[in-house]
Amino acid sequence: DIQMTQSPSSLSASVGDRVTITCRASQSISSYLNWYQQKPGKAPKLLIYAASSLQSGVPSRFSGSGSGTDLTLTISSLQPEDFATYYCQQSYSTPFTFGPGTKVDIK
Amino acid sequence: QVQLVQSGAEVKKPGASVKVSCKASGYTFTGYYMHWVRQAPGQGLEWMGRINPNSGGTNFAQKFQGRVTITRDTSISTAYMELSRLTSDDTAVYYCARGVVVPAAVGFWFDPWGQGTLVTVSS
């Protein structure tokens, strides 16, 4: 199985901050990597697919980059509605594993 | 719009089984895999398995092999996930999610997700 890790596991940031979350895979997954946002009590929401493609309707302050084993989600200017938990997920091979999540809260 | 609507919360005793439904609308049901993902309280997301609604073929995470069954009824655009021999560790929110593939991108992604079904296992 491909193991996914995320760093940091949590962070505190202010509105307007630039935030970067890293996802690391235990083996190369090329660009087979998606990012989701989850708010308490809600289902996850797709933000980025195939490492760097922005899902329709998602604000352009979200971006994804990288390939291979190290991939990144960046929020260029954090907004109040962005405080949530973020998960990466690989679609390279079964089982389609998720990272443990990064919780972004208000400083 | 594309939507997945799941059945309501369940409370089960240890050793029992639970069956959760996921009704799709707004797209061709047989054109996309349906996946099941669960989330234990305060924990992360765990992929359980998927079904090809067109063929009925399934794949499961090794962890759930022999204990999970995923089926579908194409006449009503609904997928089902049944989990047997429940223990307290199976207490979780269970989500269905459509697997999306497009020619210009690699891999697939989950979009949308159902609203989730809380399954509580307690004696």
Side-chain angles (χ1 to χ4, degrees):
Chain A
D1 297 3
I2 297 176
Q3 309 302 319
M4 307 298 292
T5 59
Q6 288 181 232
S7 59
S9 57
S10 66
L11 66 91
S12 294
S14 301
V15 172
D17 284 352
R18 181 181 182 89
V19 169
T20 299
I21 299 169
T22 298
C23 182
R24 177 163 289 172
S26 60
Q27 66 181 74
S28 177
I29 57 170
S30 184
S31 298
Y32 292 69
L33 192 282
N34 309 309
W35 289 97
Y36 303 87
Q37 176 193 68
Q38 187 179 33
K39 296 182 179 180
K42 299 295 187 181
K45 171 189 170 186
L46 177 69
L47 297 176
I48 301 286
Y49 62 90
S52 60
S53 294
L54 188 68
Q55 170 68 351
S56 176
V58 173
S60 59
R61 63 181 179 271
F62 291 93
S63 64
S65 63
S67 67
T69 58
D70 294 309
L71 299 100
T72 299
L73 173 71
T74 299
I75 310 173
S76 61
S77 177
L78 199 66
Q79 297 302 299
E81 60 268 31
D82 301 337
F83 292 97
T85 300
Y86 294 84
Y87 294 94
C88 60
Q89 172 250 329
Q90 62 85 13
S91 65
Y92 188 82
S93 65
T94 59
F96 302 115
T97 42
F98 292 84
T102 295
K103 185 176 181 180
V104 177
D105 62 21
I106 302 171
K107 181 183 282 185
Chain B
Q1 76 282 20
V2 177
Q3 194 173 8
L4 302 176
V5 178
Q6 299 182 220
S7 49
E10 304 263 12
V11 179
K12 296 293 183 181
K13 293 194 183 301
S17 297
V18 67
K19 190 171 186 177
V20 180
S21 68
C22 171
K23 182 170 178 59
S25 61
Y27 72 98
T28 301
F29 179 68
T30 52
Y32 298 81
Y33 278 78
M34 190 69 78
H35 298 252
W36 290 88
V37 175
R38 77 176 187 179
Q39 185 171 38
Q43 302 302 306
L45 301 163
E46 181 174 34
W47 182 79
M48 299 179 69
R50 67 177 175 179
I51 186 167
N52 179 338
N54 191 41
S55 67
T58 53
N59 302 99
F60 303 108
Q62 182 72 27
K63 174 178 180 177
F64 300 103
Q65 288 276 3
R67 210 161 64 89
V68 67
T69 305
I70 300 176
T71 57
R72 90 296 189 211
D73 184 338
T74 57
S75 69
I76 55 172
S77 300
T78 299
Y80 303 90
M81 186 283 300
E82 183 170 20
L83 189 62
S84 62
R85 304 193 301 277
L86 293 168
T87 73
S88 57
D89 289 342
D90 295 314
T91 294
V93 175
Y94 290 77
Y95 294 101
C96 60
R98 186 181 70 158
V100 178
V101 175
V102 298
V106 298
F108 75 92
W109 44 95
F110 301 124
D111 183 62
W113 297 60
Q115 83 276 20
T117 296
L118 175 62
V119 175
T120 303
V121 183
S122 173
S123 56

